[in-house]
Structures are given as structure tokens and as C-alpha cells.
Amino acid sequence: MSVSAVVLAAGKGTRMKSELPKVLHPIAGKPMVQHIIDTLGEVGAAQINLIYGHGAEQLQSALAHNSLNWCLQTEQLGTGHAVMQAVPHIQDDDDVLILVGDAPLIKAETLQSLIATKAEADLVLLTVVLDDPSGMGRIVRDGDQVKAIVEHKDASAAQRQIQEINTGIMIMGGADLKCWLGQLENNNAQQEYYLTDVIAMAAEENKVIKATQASSAVEVEGINNRVQLAKIERAYQWQQAQTLMLNGVSLADPNRIDIRGDVSTGTDVSIDVNVVLEGKVVLGSKVKIGANCILKDCEIADGTVIEAFSSIEQAVVGTDCNVGPYARLRPGSVMKAKAKVGNFVEMKKTELGEGAKANHLTYLGDATVGAGANIGAGTITCNYDGVNKFKTDIGEGAFIGSNSSLVAPVTIGKDATVGAGSVITKTVESEQLAIARGKQRNVTGWARPVKK
Ligand code: UD1
Ligand code: MG
């Protein structure tokens, strides 16, 4: 039996006050509905039917890389009507897992347990008990047995006292679902086709209805406005911080780290406050990250220290390196073991060899720097003529004096030396000294001008 998922995402999300459809608002940099799609991937859903309506074009482009059945709901006539749009894709012997697109923290384990429970029941609901259940559909029971879900607006005063609510997530057989959807009516307070009415139909037919509980209220909390969006973002970040700490990472403050992607870590990594990790980040053992760093799609090998305020993107940093403070490694930067990059140094498409140093105020673009080379303060690789980019090749053990411009394409040989303040436009052979600057002239007896 395969699991066919239906994700309800046709609503506008008016309370977000946004031109972006609600389900595309990001949690940890990823659209909230994408979190749900990814979780469905983890539980092995055979197909995902996405019910969409508002913001169709934006949804289709943002979610284009997924394999989805796109089910258009032109008018939003209720959650039951929404699920009807997926009927052509549903087989009778499917287990149909229905979710809402605006509750992104649902866990794979919870869905797995819902799917497992379905093996012993005809219909399984995911419920949660809330201190304040107002606005939500209430689970009406007779003893232990679930009898119905009553929407808040249709509930009696007594029913409104019920604190167990419908999360909007449920699973049932395809044949049952199609049969019940066919019987839905909209004679209720909101004149909508409520999906929740199928529970009373199932109870009437003496079907086996079970309810499993969500692990926490926040796991199933829906987002309607930006206050809730921020709350769910923080909850998600807290979960990720906890995972890191339980994996042996020291966080100076687990409330001041943001992870927008996948992070893998060795042992004894330590991370100071206000660090943002994006995309795929791999941190080796004993890596230390200083305060206010941004690391995106990068690998930092064992023992490397990234000092405060550094920005690293699509770069590979080897073992025992030092980066920053205030360093910027742009895409294509590679640092070999024990290399050092200091403050206000920018690298792009550049390899810094083993033990090489660029400690201050430097731009290295489209360059290779050999092992043990020393790049003096204020060195600039002039890699761009306004149209094309050119390479600079600096040999092993070379010493580039401060405030030099290396006009590419240019090669500096092994163990060559460039005098400070030089503008180098021609090859410097290995072990040569190149000096290319105005000659100093001293004038004796020169009188300073005086004020008139
Ligand atoms: C629904 C449930 C309620 C549950 C609550 C949990 C029903 C009738 N009620 O109420 O029992 O406690 O969720 O949050 O199911 N949607 C569509 N098309 C529509 C209507 C809704 O795609 O025609 C989508 C919305 O975009 C949203 C989801 O379905 O993602 C839920 O709709 P919403 O209007 O928020 O339902 P609630 O009134 O919150
Ligand atoms: Mg809702």
C-alpha cells in the first residue's frame, strides 16, 4: 500500500499582509511548504498532491524542482473542497495523508507513527491538547471513541470547553475518502465544505477511528501572521541548536545562532554568538567560529579558527588555518593547511597554499599562491581590465612587499621578492627581486611654504 499525500495550500494568507503567498514565507530560509514536502520525502510518500490557488505562478516557480501533482482549487470553498481537487490522483487502495501547508514543523517521526497506526484503523487523526483551543476544530469523543470534529464556529458552549483539537493532519483510505468527500455539504456556520465532517461519517459507519498526539503544540502550530512566523522560526532554530549541542557542539548562546541549511560537525566545535550557517556547511573537529560570522556552503577542516565578523561562501578551508577577523572568502576560495588570512582580506577563486599568509588589507582574485608565500599588507591582484579577468600566479615562498599591485596576467616565481609599493606587470623569475616604483629623491635645504 502506498501513501499519497495531500497538502492544502490554496489559501491566500490574508493576515500575512504580503504579496508572497503564505506558504512561501520562509522558515530558516526555506519556504514553509518546502519543509513539509521535504518531510514527506523522508517518510516516503509515493506522491504529493499540492492543492494550490492563490499565487499560482509564484508557487510553481518556487517549488518547480519538486515532483508534485499540481491540483488547482480555483475557489476556496473549504478544506473538504480542497481535498476534492486531488481525487483524480488518488487510488482506492492508497493511504491518503492530508496535511496543511502552513504548519511546517511537523516531524517525520510523527507522520511515521500516524502511518503505522493506520494499519490498525480506518482513519487516524493527529490531535493535540491546547491550553487555549479557541478557533480550532474540537475532537468530540464518546468515552474513548472519537465521534466527530466540530469547528469552533459551529461548536456549542460545552464543546468549546474541549481542549483536544484537530491539527488538520489525518490519514485514511483512498476509497473511504472519495466516498465521504462525495457526501460533504456546506450547511455550517462558514458555508464551507469541511474536511472535518468526514469523521462523523466514519463514526456513523462504525469505522475504526484512532487519534495520535503530536509531540508538542508547536509541532503542529499553523502560521497566519508574521508574529507566528517569527515564533515558529525561533522554535525551529531552537530545535536545531539543541541538535548541534547534543552532537557535541558548544554554543555560546543557543538563542543566538541561525541555521538555514544542513550543518555537519566533528567533535568539540565551538560557536560564538550571532553566527549564521547557510546551505551545506561542514565543520571539522575543534573548529572555532567567532562572533558574527556568516558561513555559507563551505567546508572548514579540523582545528581551524574563524575569527569574528568573517564571511565565507563556497569556500574550502583546510586544517589549522586562521581566518579573520573581518575576512571575506568568496566563491572558489581554497585555503590549504595552516594558511592565514587576516583582517580586511578578500579572496575570490584563489588558492592559498599551505602555510601561506595574507594577513592584512588585501584582495586576491583569480590567483594561486604557493606554499609558504607571504602576501604583504595592501597587496592587490589587479585581475580585471574592465572586460576580462586574468590570473595571477605567485610561487612558493614568494614575498610580496606591502602595497603592491600585481597586474594580471602575471607570474611571480618561487622565492621571488617584490619590493613594497611596486606595480608589477611583467614576470618576476624565481628568486629575483622586483622593484617597480618611483625612485626616492631627497632635496636638502628645502623651505616649507609659509602662510600668506
Ligand atoms: C482547519 C480545520 C480545523 C483545525 C485547523 C487546524 C477544517 C474545516 N477545519 O481550520 O478543524 O483545527 O484547520 O489549523 O478543516 N485551504 C485550502 N482551500 C480551502 C480552504 C483551506 O487550500 O478552500 C487550506 C488553507 O490554505 C490552509 C488549510 O487549508 O493551509 C487550513 O485552512 P484554514 O482556513 O486555515 O482552516 P481552519 O479554519 O484553520
Ligand atoms: Mg487555519
Side-chain angles (χ1 to χ4, degrees):
M1 184 148 343
S2 64
V3 173
S4 182
V6 179
V7 180
L8 308 190
K12 188 170 176 201
T14 311
R15 283 171 283 170
M16 296 302 284
K17 301 196 175 160
S18 176
E19 287 181 10
L20 192 67
K22 177 166 80 174
V23 296
L24 290 185
H25 279 261
I27 292 292
K30 178 164 95 176
M32 61 175 96
V33 68
Q34 185 68 54
H35 283 265
I36 296 164
I37 293 168
D38 291 346
T39 304
L40 285 169
E42 277 179 59
V43 305
Q47 58 168 342
I48 300 174
N49 301 290
L50 185 78
I51 315 301
Y52 73 109
H54 285 281
E57 270 175 33
Q58 291 181 73
L59 271 157
Q60 282 177 325
S61 86
L63 304 177
H65 59 287
N66 299 285
S67 159
L68 301 170
N69 291 331
W70 289 87
C71 309
L72 180 64
Q73 187 193 24
T74 39
E75 262 188 303
Q76 280 70 58
L77 302 179
T79 52
H81 181 259
V83 177
M84 285 176 206
Q85 313 312 310
V87 163
H89 300 287
I90 292 170
Q91 307 302 315
D92 285 354
D93 60 357
D94 284 346
D95 274 340
V96 185
L97 177 62
I98 300 170
L99 305 100
V100 290
D102 60 0
L105 297 195
I106 187 68
K107 290 184 182 154
E109 301 94 86
T110 304
L111 296 180
Q112 300 281 22
S113 108
L114 205 68
I115 293 165
T117 310
K118 170 64 182 63
E120 308 149 17
D122 297 302
L123 189 156
V124 189
L125 292 172
L126 185 68
T127 71
V128 72
V129 173
L130 297 183
D131 292 337
D132 175 13
S134 60
M136 312 303 279
R138 306 302 207 282
I139 308 295
V140 179
R141 289 174 183 261
D142 181 2
D144 264 358
Q145 198 52 49
V146 174
K147 287 291 172 194
I149 295 175
V150 178
E151 291 306 308
H152 181 92
K153 286 186 178 150
D154 302 287
S156 65
Q159 286 168 332
R160 286 185 182 184
Q161 299 301 309
I162 299 171
Q163 286 176 296
E164 186 186 12
I165 63 103
N166 170 35
T167 62
I169 299 174
M170 58 183 81
I171 185 167
M172 67 197 87
D176 282 340
L177 172 65
K178 287 195 252 184
C179 167
W180 295 326
L181 287 177
Q183 300 169 47
L184 287 183
E185 289 173 17
N186 65 349
N187 48 2
N188 51 50
Q190 303 183 79
Q191 301 203 318
E192 285 182 4
Y193 296 93
Y194 290 163
L195 174 65
T196 44
D197 284 351
V198 307
I199 284 71
M201 293 175 190
E204 194 67 30
E205 292 177 21
N206 291 314
K207 295 279 186 181
V208 180
I209 304 172
K210 295 204 171 187
T212 64
Q213 302 275 316
S215 66
S216 66
V218 82
E219 185 189 2
V220 291
E221 189 164 327
I223 294 169
N224 295 306
N225 58 42
R226 296 189 201 229
V227 176
Q228 290 167 328
L229 183 72
K231 178 185 170 192
I232 297 297
E233 174 77 34
R234 285 304 104 206
Y236 184 71
Q237 292 301 343
W238 171 248
Q239 284 173 10
Q240 298 198 102
Q242 263 183 314
T243 306
L244 278 191
M245 292 186 288
L246 294 173
N247 284 341
V249 175
S250 290
L251 297 180
D253 181 352
N255 288 311
R256 282 185 289 167
I257 179 167
D258 277 65
I259 299 169
R260 304 176 189 147
D262 298 314
V263 179
S264 73
T265 50
T267 53
D268 293 313
V269 168
S270 81
I271 301 180
D272 210 334
V273 297
N274 298 329
V275 168
V276 179
L277 304 176
E278 286 187 50
K280 188 172 187 301
V281 174
V282 179
L283 304 178
S285 294
K286 298 202 168 120
V287 164
K288 282 193 169 54
I289 313 232
N292 302 297
C293 288
I294 301 174
L295 275 65
K296 184 174 183 182
D297 295 314
C298 61
E299 279 178 51
I300 315 292
D302 297 357
T304 284
V305 178
I306 312 290
E307 310 266 14
F309 293 99
S310 294
S311 164
I312 301 181
E313 181 177 358
Q314 289 175 45
V316 177
V317 181
T319 53
D320 300 317
C321 290
N322 263 75
V323 177
Y326 297 98
R328 181 170 183 213
L329 305 189
R330 292 171 51 204
S333 299
V334 175
M335 289 174 67
K336 299 292 189 188
K338 298 194 173 108
K340 284 184 78 174
V341 153
N343 43 256
F344 307 106
V345 171
E346 175 182 350
M347 295 207 331
K348 185 217 71 169
K349 279 197 192 154
T350 286
E351 182 179 304
L352 199 55
E354 185 168 340
K357 291 179 203 160
N359 276 337
H360 334 264
L361 302 160
T362 285
Y363 173 62
L364 297 171
D366 304 302
T368 53
V369 178
N374 190 316
I375 309 296
T379 299
I380 306 289
T381 54
C382 309
N383 61 328
Y384 184 50
D385 64 5
V387 184
N388 296 303
K389 301 242 167 87
F390 301 95
K391 281 209 64 181
T392 300
D393 196 355
I394 301 171
E396 277 178 41
F399 182 97
I400 311 297
S402 297
N403 201 32
S404 293
S405 302
L406 310 177
V407 182
V410 71
T411 298
I412 315 290
K414 181 170 181 286
D415 295 320
T417 302
V418 169
S422 291
V423 177
I424 301 294
T425 54
K426 291 188 298 214
T427 299
V428 182
E429 302 294 348
S430 54
E431 297 182 24
Q432 279 185 329
L433 165 68
I435 304 175
R437 63 185 181 222
K439 268 211 168 138
Q440 182 169 337
R441 197 163 56 95
N442 291 356
V443 177
T444 25
W446 182 69
R448 286 185 188 176
V450 287
K451 192 144 180 93
K452 289 193 174 136

